[in-house]
Amino acid sequence: MANLSTAYSPKEFELAIAHEGVVGTAQAGGSNDTNYKLINIDSIEMPSLNPQQVLDVRHGAGRTLKTVDMFLNNNLTVKEISFSGIADSTILPMLVQNITQDASGASSIPAAYNPSELKKVDTSSTANIATFSVLLRSPEANNSMLFKGCVLTSLTLNGDISEESGRIKMSGTFKTGMKPDFTSNLNPTARTHFNLNYFTTDYADDASTTDADIIIAGVTSPILKSFSCTIENDAQFMGFDQDGDHQIIARALPEASVTFESVVKYDADTDGLVASFEQQSTATLANSLTAKSSASGDVPRNIDFSIPKAILTDVSFSEEEAMFLSISQKAVAGTTGDLIAITIEAD
């Protein structure tokens, strides 16, 4: 029926994820759809569906595109679901474990990172490190988008003390090589974790929190205004089956990479970074954000970053309330150790 009177707010659309026990098999909802965890998103984004469309004019009478010229298909296409929102202690550990493929307490990408491929219908015994089902829930009944066989290929965590008291935010992208379901009726409802956040102020090192620490480009305890850490672990989808889905998911092709951006106050401690950038050779610099320890059950939770080796890719002035430096770095691996390690205190 045309001209319906119903309208929906963009805030009525939601995004949720669930670990798949079998790669490429959509996770069932369970009681009240509790298998799916809602992401505290800023706004909804339309996924990139990328159907095959060949609209070239073929040889024939006339100089127009004919219906018989068209090729339209959705087999063997890669879908992307991007999001941005607030990092919380339920969702963030799931995301970090998936992009590193490490479900330990200190999820890391080791120097010799060489992940195994994932194959459709293989059993996934360890939660969060294989594939997710991603649900874009619509307020229209039975019209939600359900994407199976998804892996997180990009994750950015950032905090700025001038925004929301330094609350740490996140953004990322899921990819899948499998066809979505546009008629899902899943309806996750639990939002109790939304207020369990992480804060840049957890890294403040003073007399009462001597266990906290900040090291930026080898400089200990600079005055930090903001930071942003991005992990890229792309996926390539290979093979095919009779359903028109890709069969194999290969990670870290061509590489798993980590970049770290920060803004720190320009002073006697940080002034030397300008010369370090221009004169650096093969020497590397350490970066770490260590949050204060919390008593059991405390809120907010904590998240620690460790990038043992990095090179400077840019150092420039940043005019804030005083003069600051904007510092860009890329993590590099040694023969041993980690490219990055992220330790999260979760629920």
Side-chain angles (χ1 to χ4, degrees), residues 33 36 53 69 73-74 97 122 129 153-154 168 184 214 221 241 253 263 266-267 272 285 303 320 324 326:
D33 299 331
Y36 283 80
Q53 293 187 333
D69 295 342
N73 197 280
N74 67 344
Q97 289 168 11
D122 278 355
I129 68 168
T153 59
S154 176
I168 293 177
S184 173
I214 298 173
S221 300
D241 63 14
L253 293 175
V263 177
Y266 178 86
D267 53 30
L285 302 169
I303 174 172
E320 309 289 340
F324 279 65
S326 178

Side-chain angles (χ1 to χ4, degrees), residues 78 151 153 175 234-238 246 248-254:
V78 175
V151 291
T153 59
K175 287 186 181 180
D234 206 356
Q236 300 296 327
F237 300 90
M238 308 172 188
H246 287 289
I248 304 295
I249 306 170
R251 306 298 301 271
L253 293 175

Side-chain angles (χ1 to χ4, degrees), residues 158-168 200 225-227:
N158 60 279
D160 190 320
I161 60 171
S162 65
E163 297 181 10
E164 299 182 17
S165 300
R167 185 161 64 158
I168 293 177
T200 307
K225 180 183 183 296
S226 64
F227 77 92

Side-chain angles (χ1 to χ4, degrees), residues 165-218:
S165 300
R167 185 161 64 158
I168 293 177
K169 301 181 180 181
M170 63 182 181
S171 60
T173 299
F174 293 100
K175 287 186 181 180
T176 178
M178 301 176 188
K179 294 179 180 177
D181 173 9
F182 293 106
T183 59
S184 173
N185 62 358
L186 293 170
N187 184 28
T189 58
R191 297 173 179 81
T192 55
H193 61 279
F194 274 18
N195 289 322
L196 302 181
N197 304 145
Y198 305 91
F199 292 85
T200 307
T201 50
D202 290 337
Y203 307 115
D205 186 8
D206 55 37
S208 61
T209 59
T210 55
D211 50 348
D213 195 19
I214 298 173
I215 299 176
I216 301 295

Side-chain angles (χ1 to χ4, degrees), residues 27-323:
Q27 177 63 265
S31 175
N32 297 318
D33 299 331
T34 53
N35 287 333
Y36 283 80
K37 308 299 182 184
L38 288 163
I39 301 177
N40 190 355
I41 56 174
D42 296 325
S43 61
I44 203 72
E45 295 185 34
M46 174 61 71
S48 297
L49 301 175
N50 303 318
Q52 298 279 357
Q53 293 187 333
V54 180
L55 304 177
D56 297 333
V57 176
R58 308 302 296 172
H59 291 267
R63 304 175 188 179
T64 58
L65 176 67
K66 313 297 193 298
T67 56
V68 294
D69 295 342
M70 298 185 298
F71 175 77
L72 307 173
N73 197 280
N74 67 344
N75 287 337
L76 302 178
T77 56
V78 175
K79 319 298 183 183
E80 298 184 17
I81 308 98
S82 296
F83 66 92
S84 64
I86 306 300
D88 63 64
S89 60
T90 295
I91 291 295
L92 185 58
M94 298 173 67
L95 299 181
V96 169
Q97 289 168 11
N98 189 259
I99 201 163
T100 62
Q101 294 189 295
D102 183 356
S104 67
S107 298
S108 66
I109 296 177
Y113 185 59
N114 185 20
S116 300
E117 286 73 23
L118 303 172
K119 185 176 181 180
K120 185 179 178 182
V121 310
D122 278 355
T123 300
S124 174
S125 57
T126 303
N128 303 328
I129 68 168
T131 53
F132 287 133
S133 293
V134 178
L135 175 71
L136 195 162
R137 197 196 71 80
S138 166
E140 274 287 335
N142 303 322
N143 282 291
S144 295
M145 304 180 198
L146 181 60
F147 299 84
K148 60 187 179 181
C150 298
V151 291
L152 186 66
T153 59
S154 176
L155 177 65
T156 297
L157 300 174
N158 60 279
D160 190 320
I161 60 171
S162 65
E163 297 181 10
E164 299 182 17
S165 300
R167 185 161 64 158
I168 293 177
K169 301 181 180 181
M170 63 182 181
S171 60
T173 299
F174 293 100
K175 287 186 181 180
T176 178
M178 301 176 188
K179 294 179 180 177
D181 173 9
F182 293 106
T183 59
S184 173
N185 62 358
L186 293 170
N187 184 28
T189 58
R191 297 173 179 81
T192 55
H193 61 279
F194 274 18
N195 289 322
L196 302 181
N197 304 145
Y198 305 91
F199 292 85
T200 307
T201 50
D202 290 337
Y203 307 115
D205 186 8
D206 55 37
S208 61
T209 59
T210 55
D211 50 348
D213 195 19
I214 298 173
I215 299 176
I216 301 295
V219 178
T220 300
S221 300
I223 302 300
L224 178 68
K225 180 183 183 296
S226 64
F227 77 92
S228 176
C229 181
T230 298
I231 303 174
E232 300 278 355
N233 188 356
D234 206 356
Q236 300 296 327
F237 300 90
M238 308 172 188
F240 57 91
D241 63 14
Q242 62 185 5
D243 297 325
D245 292 337
H246 287 289
Q247 287 180 303
I248 304 295
I249 306 170
R251 306 298 301 271
L253 293 175
E255 66 167 324
S257 67
V258 177
T259 56
F260 189 76
E261 315 281 336
S262 57
V263 177
V264 299
K265 186 170 69 71
Y266 178 86
D267 53 30
D269 288 337
T270 60
D271 170 70
L273 292 176
V274 177
S276 295
F277 168 56
E278 199 273 334
Q279 299 170 4
Q280 67 185 336
S281 54
T282 58
T284 58
L285 302 169
N287 294 267
S288 63
L289 297 177
T290 305
K292 62 184 179 182
S293 298
S294 62
S296 178
D298 277 1
V299 175
R301 308 294 184 174
N302 296 331
I303 174 172
D304 296 340
F305 298 83
S306 175
I307 302 174
K309 298 177 183 293
I311 60 168
L312 293 165
T313 57
D314 187 59
V315 176
S316 58
F317 289 131
S318 178
E319 296 184 19
E320 309 289 340
E321 56 273 18
M323 183 58 81

